[in-house]
Amino acid sequence: MENPVKIAFKAVGGRTKAAEIINRSYQAVKKMEDKGVLPRTEYTNETQYAQTLADHSNGAFTAAWLLENANPIKQTI
């Protein structure tokens, strides 16, 4: 499967647009994409990046899909 974070960022218009949407730096977004996972804070409900990105994706993916496929714990198993 292709990198789910890359799919999400592409759906919202690329890394620069994703950084703007979730209010993070380009470097932070690049690191997420390079690793292919969302940060731990997504799974402790400190951030809502998956939902925010899904809301800007024109229906290309759901927050639930992104959370499931970009889970850092799942990547290590």
Side-chain angles (χ1 to χ4, degrees):
M1 175 184 197
E2 188 177 351
N3 178 330
V5 176
K6 185 174 188 170
I7 292 169
F9 291 168
K10 187 185 237 183
V12 300
R15 284 185 193 156
T16 301
K17 186 68 175 173
E20 179 183 307
I21 290 168
I22 63 172
N23 198 30
R24 300 293 302 169
S25 69
Y26 180 87
Q27 269 310 108
V29 168
K30 182 181 181 310
K31 286 179 184 180
M32 279 185 234
E33 185 178 311
D34 289 347
K35 293 179 181 180
V37 298
L38 293 171
R40 172 201 53 81
T41 56
E42 275 299 286
Y43 301 93
T44 56
N45 295 316
E46 296 170 63
T47 57
Q48 302 295 317
Y49 301 148
Q51 186 62 58
T52 302
L53 291 165
D55 290 346
H56 288 84
S57 73
N58 294 317
F61 63 90
T62 65
W65 175 86
L66 186 55
L67 287 166
E68 172 69 21
N69 290 286
N71 188 329
I73 294 171
K74 187 176 181 181
Q75 300 292 329
T76 60
I77 296 175

